[in-house]
Amino acid sequence: MVSLCTSDAVRRAIRSGLEGRVRVEECSSDADLTERARRGHATVAIRELASDGDARAGMTRVLRELVQSMPDVRVLAVCTLGRHMMAAARTAWLAGIRTVIVHPYDDVALVIRRALNRTILDDAERRITGLLPPRLTIEDRRTIRCCVRHAHRRPTVKRVAERLRVSERMLVRRCRATHLPPPEELISRCRILMALEVSRPRPRSLDHTSTVFGFRDVSDLRTKIKRRTGLTVGQARLLQNPTDLLFLAKPSGRTGPQLERPLEPTVVAEGNDRPAQSPSWHEIAAPVSDMATGVSDMATGARTADSQC
C-alpha cells in the first residue's frame, strides 16, 4: 500500500508506473496521511514539497512530526524541479527523510518499488534477529545480521568481512570459536532463511523470491534446504523458530536432522584458575533436534495415513 499527498502531475506519474502492482491511496492532508499509516494501511508514504513555502523552517517541524508519527512507514519526499528544489530537499533531509525524488527528472515509480522491496526485506530481517537464541554473543548477532541484511546481494565471505571490518581469517576464526557455522555455510543458510521468511506471508511467491536470493529456481532452493538441513520446504515452515535452520545439519542415516556442534572454546573464570566451558551450540538450541525430528515424523505419519486411506 502506498499513500500519497502529492499534486495531480506526480500522482499520475506514480499511478502509471505502479498500475496493477501496488495499491495506491490518495490523501488530502498530512493528518490524513498520518492517520492511514497509523491504521496500517500504508507501507510507504509520499509527501510532495513543491513550493517555496515548503522550504521554511516551520515546514521542517511539520515533516519531522510526520516522520516520527510513522516509525514503521518509509517516508519519501518528492521535490519539483525548479528554483526552490534544493531548499525543499534540504528541508526534507533535516526532517529525517532520507529519500528525496526530483520530479520529473527521476523515475518516481522505480524509486517507490525499490522502497517497497527494502521495506519487505527490513521486516524479514527484524523478525529473524528478534528470534535468534538469547545466548548468542553480540558478535554472533552482528555476523548473522550482516549476512541476513545482504542476503539478496549474494555476498561473499570477503564482502561480509569488509562489512564487519575484520579480515577473512578473523571472520573464520570467530565463527569457529563461537556458535556459528563456517562463513560460507552461514551465508548460504541466511539466504535460505531470508527466502523462506520473505515468502512466508505469500507462499505462492516462492518462485520469484528464490531467484531474488541467488537460487536458479524454486527446485534449486528445495535441493539446497534438503542438502543442508534434511528438511523439505514444508517441514522448514513448520519449525516454531525459523532461525533453527541456521543450526541444523544434514541428517545421518534415519536419525533425522541433528544440531552441528562446533569447537567449544574455554573461558577462564575470573578469580578461578580452572577454565569454565562456554555454552556450546547444543546448549543454545537444544530443543531444535527433537523439534526437527518431530516435524519429520509428523510429515511421515501424514503420508502413511494418506496411503492407508
Side-chain angles (χ1 to χ4, degrees):
M1 168 71 74
V2 177
S3 294
L4 306 177
C5 186
T6 60
S7 61
D8 293 338
V10 176
R11 189 179 301 116
R12 286 193 298 268
I14 294 175
R15 286 190 174 277
S16 62
L18 300 178
E19 184 177 4
R21 300 183 181 182
V22 182
R23 183 180 173 185
V24 179
E25 194 174 47
E26 300 178 9
C27 302
S28 57
S29 62
D30 291 338
D32 188 17
L33 186 66
T34 304
E35 184 64 24
R36 292 178 186 273
R38 286 178 177 175
R39 292 179 181 178
H41 294 175
T43 306
V44 174
I46 303 174
R47 173 65 159 81
E48 183 178 6
L49 308 176
S51 64
D52 56 348
D54 287 337
R56 296 178 300 185
M59 194 61 198
T60 303
R61 178 180 54 81
V62 174
L63 291 177
R64 186 179 293 114
E65 292 176 355
L66 183 66
V67 172
Q68 293 175 353
S69 63
M70 301 183 295
D72 298 330
V73 178
R74 190 177 294 269
V75 182
L76 311 181
V78 179
C79 298
T80 304
L81 187 64
R83 59 179 297 187
H84 301 293
M85 180 193 68
M86 292 303 299
R90 183 174 181 274
T91 300
W93 183 264
L94 293 176
I97 301 177
R98 294 298 175 255
T99 303
V100 179
I101 308 170
V102 179
H103 176 74
Y105 181 79
D106 293 329
D107 187 344
V108 183
L110 177 61
V111 178
I112 294 174
R113 288 198 298 270
R114 289 176 177 174
L116 289 170
N117 293 336
R118 186 69 257 177
T119 301
I120 294 173
L121 294 175
D122 289 345
D123 291 342
E125 176 193 346
R126 193 180 301 111
R127 291 194 299 269
I128 290 173
T129 54
L131 292 173
L132 289 175
R135 292 187 182 179
L136 287 177
T137 64
I138 296 178
E139 296 297 334
D140 293 345
R141 292 176 179 274
R142 286 187 61 225
T143 303
I144 293 175
R145 184 176 181 180
C146 181
C147 295
V148 166
R149 173 172 285 271
H150 301 283
H152 64 290
R153 298 179 179 176
R154 310 175 193 180
T156 61
V157 177
K158 180 180 179 180
R159 182 66 173 173
V160 173
E162 290 177 351
R163 288 288 181 177
L164 295 173
R165 297 182 180 180
V166 297
S167 63
E168 294 184 50
R169 291 184 179 181
M170 176 62 70
L171 180 60
V172 172
R173 287 197 297 267
R174 179 183 296 177
C175 291
R176 185 183 302 170
T178 56
H179 316 286
L180 300 180
E184 292 183 3
E185 179 74 10
L186 180 62
I187 292 172
S188 299
R189 287 171 181 257
C190 287
R191 287 168 52 206
I192 294 173
L193 181 59
M194 280 292 287
L196 294 177
E197 192 63 25
V198 168
S199 63
R200 187 177 297 274
R202 301 167 297 277
R204 295 182 180 178
S205 67
L206 189 59
D207 293 334
H208 172 70
T209 306
S210 58
T211 58
V212 171
F213 290 96
F215 303 98
R216 291 191 300 272
D217 49 26
V218 67
S219 61
D220 183 33
L221 174 62
R222 292 194 179 101
T223 302
K224 295 294 176 57
I225 296 177
K226 190 70 175 179
R227 181 185 304 168
R228 298 183 185 278
T229 66
L231 300 177
T232 64
V233 173
Q235 292 170 348
R237 291 186 186 279
L238 290 177
L239 290 175
Q240 185 176 3
N241 188 342
T243 61
D244 294 339
L245 289 174
L246 300 177
F247 307 101
L248 285 175
K250 182 179 179 180
S252 55
R254 295 174 179 251
T255 59
Q258 300 291 329
L259 281 171
E260 294 183 12
R261 185 160 186 164
L263 297 176
E264 298 180 8
T266 58
V267 181
V268 178
E270 185 177 356
N272 192 350
D273 294 333
R274 296 182 60 186
Q277 286 292 82
S278 63
S280 65
W281 201 337
H282 246 39
E283 296 171 351
I284 287 180
V288 177
S289 179
D290 297 336
M291 187 195 323
T293 305
V295 170
S296 300
D297 295 341
M298 187 189 309
T300 304
R303 288 195 298 268
T304 304
D306 293 340
S307 62
Q308 291 177 353
C309 294

